[in-house]
Amino acid sequence: DVKVTQSSRYLVKRTGEKVFLECVQDMDHENMFWYRQDPGLGLRLIYFSYDVKMKEKGDIPEGYSVSREKKERFSLILESASTNQTSMYLCASSFQGGSAFFGQGTRLTVV
Amino acid sequence: DQQVKQNSPSLSVQEGRISILNCDYTNSMFDYFLWYKKYPAEGPTFLISISSIKDKNEDGRFTVFLNKSAKHLSLHIVPSQPGDSAVYFCAASAGPGNAGNMLTFGGGTRLMVKP
């Protein structure tokens, strides 16, 4: 079974803090993704990585950065958290051309 | 502007009846479509997919229909069961290469199956 693991289920951070969300997959997938889910807006792609050290911006990259130093790990970084970044964050991975497998999600609240 | 739209935010169906979830898209480059199911506090799980070379794909109780000319797809669940109650997301991807790996999602439809 594919396993995509996100380091935290729930996080509460203060405005202005630097926040790290970690994601690890165990299926040697080339592709890894970070999405955020908001009511009525579905899942919106923040960043995508198709190989180690490679990244591409998704639809809403502003305020976020990513790091992929190892194939199995993809980190999402909020440089200076703001209240409009309160959301459910979902990490996913896939083979080239395959369907994406998702982690359980991290509900981030910025106060 | 949303390229993938699910116009019904919610749907309520009686157990045993058919559930039909709809999805419309605007990008004619989309050539692969997927449905995901999501329970609260869990990540989405892949349900069923269809390539643009087909107009129907069936897997047990789940069937996806694709109408390319109308840029419309639908998910049919027959018979519906209470355990099917979840949020369903339609997703699409476009073309070869990296674009083919990026999924664009609709806003989701919350399905409630009543016993």
Side-chain angles (χ1 to χ4, degrees):
Chain A
D1 266 2
V2 173
K3 194 149 189 193
V4 180
T5 304
Q6 294 181 230
S7 53
S8 305
R9 292 296 299 269
Y10 301 95
L11 274 180
V12 180
K13 297 291 182 181
R14 293 195 181 278
T15 301
E17 272 193 78
K18 191 168 185 176
V19 182
F20 293 87
L21 302 183
E22 306 286 347
C23 176
V24 176
Q25 51 97 1
D26 65 359
M27 281 300 291
D28 204 34
H29 285 166
E30 296 94 349
N31 304 314
M32 294 190 76
F33 310 82
W34 275 105
Y35 289 88
R36 63 178 279 180
Q37 182 197 355
D38 299 289
L41 298 177
L43 278 69
R44 292 179 293 166
L45 182 64
I46 305 171
Y47 266 99
F48 157 55
S49 169
Y50 54 92
D51 202 351
V52 175
K53 296 192 189 294
M54 307 304 288
K55 62 184 179 185
E56 283 196 20
K57 291 180 180 178
D59 299 318
I60 50 164
E62 298 78 18
Y64 303 94
S65 62
V66 289
S67 171
R68 190 151 181 219
E69 296 297 318
K70 294 185 178 181
K71 192 174 186 181
E72 67 270 18
R73 187 179 296 269
F74 192 35
S75 303
L76 179 70
I77 303 150
L78 287 66
E79 295 290 342
S80 177
S82 63
T83 54
N84 63 12
Q85 291 178 311
T86 291
S87 187
M88 168 72 87
Y89 289 87
L90 291 157
C91 174
S93 70
S94 74
F95 284 121
Q96 203 72 0
S99 59
F101 292 86
F102 284 83
Q104 78 277 25
T106 297
R107 183 162 293 283
L108 172 67
T109 303
V110 183
V111 297
Chain B
D1 190 30
Q2 281 192 298
Q3 296 185 68
V4 178
K5 289 184 182 178
Q6 294 175 254
N7 291 318
S8 299
S10 66
L11 175 67
S12 182
V13 169
Q14 205 66 36
E15 181 180 6
R17 306 294 289 267
I18 185 171
S19 295
I20 300 176
L21 295 93
N22 293 304
C23 178
D24 297 293
Y25 61 96
T26 57
N27 188 342
S28 57
M29 296 298 292
F30 287 147
D31 61 359
Y32 189 61
F33 304 89
L34 308 90
W35 284 94
Y36 281 81
K37 176 179 177 179
K38 186 181 184 299
Y39 293 118
E42 293 183 14
T45 53
F46 169 73
L47 198 54
I48 192 168
S49 64
I50 188 166
S51 162
S52 60
I53 61 172
K54 292 185 169 184
D55 54 18
K56 178 182 173 181
N57 188 26
E58 198 170 347
D59 183 3
R61 295 185 298 115
F62 302 92
T63 303
V64 56
F65 295 92
L66 175 63
N67 183 333
K68 286 191 295 286
S69 60
K71 293 192 177 68
H72 177 83
L73 63 154
S74 60
L75 174 68
H76 292 210
I77 307 174
V78 183
S80 302
Q81 299 173 354
D84 296 329
S85 297
V87 177
Y88 290 78
F89 291 100
C90 168
S93 67
N98 290 332
N101 293 299
M102 289 197 284
L103 296 177
T104 301
F105 283 83
T109 297
R110 181 176 301 279
L111 173 66
M112 292 162 284
V113 180
K114 297 178 181 177

